[in-house]
Every structure is written in structure tokens, then in C-alpha cells.
Amino acid sequence: MVLFTFCATFLCTFVLPLSLFLAAVKLWEIYCISGRDRSCGSPLPPGSMGLPFLGETLQLVLQRYKFLKMKVRKYGHIYKTHLFGSPTVRIMGAENVKQILLGEHKLVSVQWPASVRTILGAGCLSSLHDSEHKQRKRVILKAFSREALENYMPVMGEEIRGGLSRWLENGSCVLVYPEMKRLMFGIATRILLGFEPSQTNPRTQHELIEAFEEMIRNLFSLPIDVPFSGLYRGLKARNVIHAKIEENIRKKVARREGAGQFKDALQLLIEHSEQSDQPLQLQELKESATELLFGGHETTASTATSLVAFLALHPEVVQKVRRELQEQGLLCSDLKENKQMTIEVLEQLKYTGSVIKETLRLRPPVPGGFRVALKTFVINGYQIPKGWNVIYSICDTHDVATNFSNKDEFNPDRFMEGCPEKDACRFSYIPFGGGSRSCVGKEFAKILLKIFTVELVRSCDWQLLNGPPMMKTNPTVYPVDNLPTRFTPFPCKNMTY
């Protein structure tokens, strides 16, 4: 009797729940695979779909780098999974990515996870389609014209020099990543949203940055809006940002910019809305402004932080940058005979540009992009069923590119004239995406990063206090230790290179 009771207890406590769980997992796999288009003869990609309903979202969120590397080792350059509530195919490699990026509106369409769409909103550029996307992009591109970028440059230089001065005054240890985000946030709010310095005093700026970081941390979360969930926290932070942007929009509408006065991206959107047969609602303006703020500061802060790290680890590269600046009359920031910084002058800094390109190759700030299959199609011998999500990986595409020699090595010379790697397949190097969905602010980012590099190397020497950083992604790339660094003044006078 005792043995019977023990066996019954064991079965009910352990065996039955385990059997039910395994059965649920098997039924989940069958359900997910049943999405295969049977009219297509090609198989689904290899891979696993994870736990019932949750899929593999938790593994991705908790173990991002380790999880993704394991998947690539196990399944190769294309595999299936289940993320953020949808069956998903993740791809990498130049030829695979090319098919996705050039298949916009024919094979695929942009579709970010539900949490991203909920927090950023349906009115932002990255969520629009077809004619709406083209029209909005055309308006925003006016804010990134050559003339507009030329007008931005004095503000960029002023903000960057102020930031570097603070770092030099610190004298001991600067946590570069949070300081970089503060610096790039100030630039983005002034240039893209037209915030005046008086609107972003240190306290207000700190509150906005805190809210923005909370929103970004919860962009990719389970789409469950209940108190204390990631989505709930992200929306709450988003509302703080929207309130400040709305205040600025109302001031702009009431003030009316004068003729010939410089106009920021938000002002152009407001004017376009007023002149349109279908004017943008206030909510759509706030969503577009929030997206500009994300693209204009989060990604540049990530790349600029990586620049500081790579240059600190490669002093010979810093010397070559300084030699180029000296040749162009730009080395010493306090010399009156220095050239005025213009786009034409920046275009002459070929090696400095190559340093930025190499940084973006090794550490693209955005790891990839999201699409949804408009119809069933085949890629690399596997079918992508209609309705499935597609993630194309930027970082892994760079990692697996075969046209870059010694690809783990930081070598800006690979992008200089005469190097065969410079003209490699354009889909092997996609830090700004590609096709009709390429980053609308990429020229803005390139100029901002180049000005930052110039000001950094001609005013500072610096040393990483923890050595090479360990990197993490959430959702952009950043150093886990925030990159503690000591900055000292660079004695540029009478230097010869």
C-alpha cells in the first residue's frame, strides 16, 4: 500500500506534469511548422521554436549575444525561431540580405515587433508604407540636405567641444557611454527638434534622458501592457518624452519661424503638415519627433563610444589621424590659421572617414532590421511563408563577410583608395541598412562622427581604465562597464607627424 501511494504520488508530482509539458512543446512545434506553405516545395529553414507561446523571446532578451552565436553555430546563416509573439526567420550574409533589402514592397514589408510599434507608434517613418513612407521620407530628407548639414556643423562643434572640456576637467575617470549619450542627446534636441539650450537645462535634460533610456530599454519586450511590465514602463517613459515634445511643437506653431531662418527637422514636419491635404495629427508629429531623437542620438552615441575604445586600443591609428589633420591645417584647435570646418574640408579627411567606417563594420550600432513576408518566397533553398517575420542581421552579415581579410582586426586602411576591400560587395557592409529603407539620417551621422573624431584627437589623449570592453546590445551596442576612461589635454603645439 505504501509503495502504491509512493508511485501514485511520484506519477502525479513529476511524471504527469513533465509529460504534459513535453506534449505541449511538441504540439507547439507542430502548430508552428503547420504554418509552412505546402504549395511551395522548399522546406522551412532549420531551427527551433522554443517554449509554447513564449517562443525563444526570453532567451534572446536574457542571453542575446550568447543565444545568437549559438544559433549561428548550430543552424548556419538562415534559421527559424519564434520571437516577440511571431514565427520568425533570421538571416545573414550578403546575398541573403540583398534579397530582403531589395525585395521591399515585393517580397517583404517593414514590420517591427508589437512592443516597438506600440511604444514608437504607427505614425513614425519606420512604420509607414508605400506612398506615405516616400512622402514622409522626402520631407525629413530636407532636414539632412547638404545645406542643412552645413548649418548644423557649428552647433555640433560647440556641443562636442563643451563635452570634451567637461571630460578633461574631470581629471580622473569619465564613464564614456553615459556621458556620450548626454552629449549626443543635447546635439539631437537642438538640431533635430529645435530645442533651445534654455529648454534643456541640466535638470530637464537629465529627466528627458532618463525617460528616453527607460523607453529604449523596454522597446523589445513581451507585448503585455500590465503594471510593471516592460511595455508598461516603456509607454510611461514615452509619455514623458511626448509631453516635452508637444510643448515644443505648440511653441513652434505659435512663434512661426521667419523667412530664411534655419529650420530643424521638426519644423519642416510641422510646415508640411499644415500645407498638406491630410495634415499630420499632433500624435503623429510627436511619434515622428521621438523617432528622430532615437535615430539622432542613441545610434551615434553607441558608435562614438566605440570610436573612443578602438582609438585608445590602437594609438598608431590616432597618430595617422593626427597626421592627416596636420596636413589639412586642422590639428590644433587653438590656432587661428586653422581652416574653418566645412563639409568640403571634412571630405578631404579620407583616413578619418575610414576610421569611422571600420568602427561601423566591427560594431554597427543597430544589430538588424525587421520585415514581414508579403508572400511565400524562397531564399537560399528555404521557404519563408507568407506572414512570417524576417530579421536581417547587420552585425552577423559583417562577421561572415568573406571579402574582408583578417576581419576581426581593426584596420581602417581597408577602406582607403587602392585597397581591394574598399569596393567590396555593398551588401557585405550595411551599417545603415540598404534599399528604400536605408537610414534617412546617415549623412547627418557621418558628419557628426567625423567632427567628434577631429575634436577628440586634436584636444585629448585618453586611456581606457578597464582595458578592452565587453559589449552588449539592448537595443544598440554599448560597453557593459560604460567604458571608464581618463582624458588628458593633448599638447598639440609644435607637433610634427
Side-chain angles (χ1 to χ4, degrees):
M1 186 65 180
V2 174
L3 181 60
F4 174 78
T5 303
F6 173 79
C7 289
T9 303
F10 179 78
L11 286 171
C12 292
T13 306
F14 298 104
V15 177
L16 184 59
L18 179 61
S19 299
L20 290 172
F21 175 76
L22 292 176
V25 170
K26 187 63 178 176
L27 288 171
W28 172 249
E29 288 279 350
I30 293 170
Y31 167 75
C32 291
I33 294 173
S34 68
R36 176 180 178 273
D37 188 339
R38 300 193 181 280
S39 67
C40 177
S42 300
L44 288 170
S48 60
M49 307 303 274
L51 297 173
F53 306 109
L54 294 176
E56 297 184 312
T57 304
L58 290 178
Q59 294 98 306
L60 176 67
V61 171
L62 297 175
Q63 304 177 312
R64 185 179 183 89
Y65 183 82
K66 184 178 178 182
F67 171 78
L68 294 177
K69 290 301 176 186
M70 178 273 292
K71 287 287 187 180
V72 174
R73 285 195 306 269
K74 191 170 183 179
Y75 301 117
H77 293 181
I78 176 169
Y79 58 85
K80 69 175 183 287
T81 178
H82 200 282
L83 298 172
F84 308 108
S86 299
T88 301
V89 175
R90 190 168 184 271
I91 71 163
M92 65 199 72
E95 288 305 312
N96 294 337
V97 167
K98 176 181 178 181
Q99 193 171 341
I100 297 301
L101 293 179
L102 297 186
E104 187 75 25
H105 308 310
K106 299 188 291 287
L107 300 179
V108 297
S109 181
V110 68
Q111 180 168 292
W112 292 89
S115 59
V116 178
R117 299 197 304 273
T118 302
I119 293 173
L120 290 185
C124 59
L125 181 68
S126 60
S127 293
L128 296 178
H129 298 89
D130 302 323
S131 60
E132 281 188 304
H133 176 263
K134 290 178 182 178
Q135 188 178 41
R136 186 77 60 82
K137 186 173 182 178
R138 191 159 48 244
V139 174
I140 293 176
L141 280 173
K142 292 179 182 177
F144 299 120
S145 67
R146 189 177 180 89
E147 180 184 3
L149 292 171
E150 193 87 61
N151 285 325
Y152 296 157
M153 290 175 62
V155 175
M156 292 178 180
E158 174 192 330
E159 291 280 344
I160 290 168
R161 287 189 293 274
L164 292 174
S165 294
R166 290 192 297 271
W167 300 359
L168 288 169
E169 288 168 5
N170 187 286
S172 55
C173 173
V174 173
L175 295 178
V176 171
Y177 183 55
E179 284 297 316
M180 195 72 77
K181 285 194 287 187
R182 174 187 169 192
L183 171 61
M184 295 301 175
F185 191 86
I187 293 172
T189 52
R190 285 187 64 182
I191 289 176
L192 299 179
L193 304 188
F195 280 30
E196 297 170 3
S198 59
Q199 291 177 269
T200 51
N201 59 62
R203 181 177 177 180
T204 302
Q205 187 184 59
H206 178 74
E207 291 172 354
L208 273 173
I209 291 175
E210 285 292 310
F212 203 87
E213 294 201 358
E214 180 70 7
M215 183 188 81
I216 296 302
R217 272 195 299 270
N218 294 289
L219 261 185
F220 294 90
S221 55
L222 291 172
I224 304 170
D225 185 11
V226 296
F228 309 112
S229 69
L231 182 60
Y232 177 87
R233 294 195 300 271
L235 286 170
K236 186 177 179 181
R238 190 275 314 271
N239 291 340
V240 173
I241 298 163
H242 276 196
K244 187 65 178 177
I245 291 173
E246 180 176 343
E247 177 187 325
N248 199 45
I249 290 171
R250 295 189 184 282
K251 285 182 179 178
K252 283 178 174 291
V253 171
R255 186 173 61 233
R256 299 292 175 187
E257 304 295 339
Q261 188 171 344
F262 173 72
K263 296 172 182 176
D264 55 76
L266 181 55
Q267 183 66 36
L268 287 169
L269 279 173
I270 292 170
E271 291 182 4
H272 169 75
S273 175
E274 292 173 337
Q275 296 164 6
S276 173
D277 294 333
Q278 295 180 315
L280 294 175
Q281 300 301 312
L282 180 60
Q283 183 66 20
E284 292 174 314
L285 283 169
K286 290 189 291 185
E287 289 169 356
S288 292
T290 303
E291 183 182 36
L292 281 172
L293 195 54
F294 171 70
H297 110 275
E298 185 78 14
T299 55
T300 50
S302 170
T303 303
T305 301
S306 294
L307 268 167
V308 171
F310 280 130
L311 289 173
L313 295 169
H314 297 87
E316 74 285 357
V317 173
V318 176
Q319 300 294 357
K320 291 181 75 170
V321 172
R322 285 175 175 160
R323 187 181 305 123
E324 180 175 66
L325 295 185
Q326 186 179 53
E327 291 169 356
Q328 295 295 328
L330 292 169
L331 181 58
C332 294
S333 58
D334 62 341
L335 296 183
K336 292 181 180 179
E337 61 268 23
N338 273 352
K339 292 180 183 177
Q340 183 180 357
M341 200 91 75
T342 64
I343 290 180
E344 288 77 10
V345 170
L346 291 182
E347 287 172 344
Q348 299 304 311
L349 304 179
K350 304 296 186 185
Y351 186 74
T352 304
S354 294
V355 170
I356 294 166
K357 288 178 181 177
E358 181 69 341
T359 301
L360 288 167
R361 184 187 71 84
L362 283 169
R363 287 196 191 142
V366 178
F370 288 77
R371 300 289 188 269
V372 63
L374 296 175
K375 62 181 181 180
T376 300
F377 63 96
V378 176
I379 186 167
N380 200 25
Y382 298 109
Q383 69 160 274
I384 313 295
K386 178 181 178 180
W388 280 39
N389 283 352
V390 179
I391 299 177
Y392 73 89
S393 172
I394 293 173
C395 52
D396 286 327
T397 294
H398 290 185
D399 285 347
V400 302
T402 57
N403 44 283
F404 294 119
S405 60
N406 302 316
K407 50 193 174 187
D408 293 333
E409 176 186 319
F410 184 76
N411 177 23
D413 284 313
R414 72 175 82 245
F415 288 104
M416 293 295 285
E417 284 294 337
C419 180
E421 297 180 34
K422 176 182 177 293
D423 298 315
C425 170
R426 67 187 176 110
F427 291 98
S428 293
Y429 178 75
I430 49 170
F432 298 105
S436 62
R437 290 279 177 178
S438 62
C439 176
V440 70
K442 61 184 177 183
E443 296 305 321
F444 171 85
K446 289 175 185 177
I447 286 177
L448 177 55
L449 291 168
K450 194 171 271 192
I451 293 175
F452 172 77
T453 305
V454 170
E455 297 292 356
L456 175 69
V457 302
R458 73 181 186 177
S459 60
C460 303
D461 283 318
W462 64 100
Q463 177 185 7
L464 305 184
L465 299 181
N466 285 356
M470 179 181 296
M471 307 303 290
K472 195 173 180 180
T473 303
N474 186 32
T476 53
V477 175
Y478 70 96
V480 173
D481 64 355
N482 284 325
L483 204 68
T485 304
R486 181 181 295 113
F487 290 86
T488 54
F490 168 60
C492 68
K493 290 186 178 180
N494 302 317
M495 299 298 289
T496 301
Y497 288 89

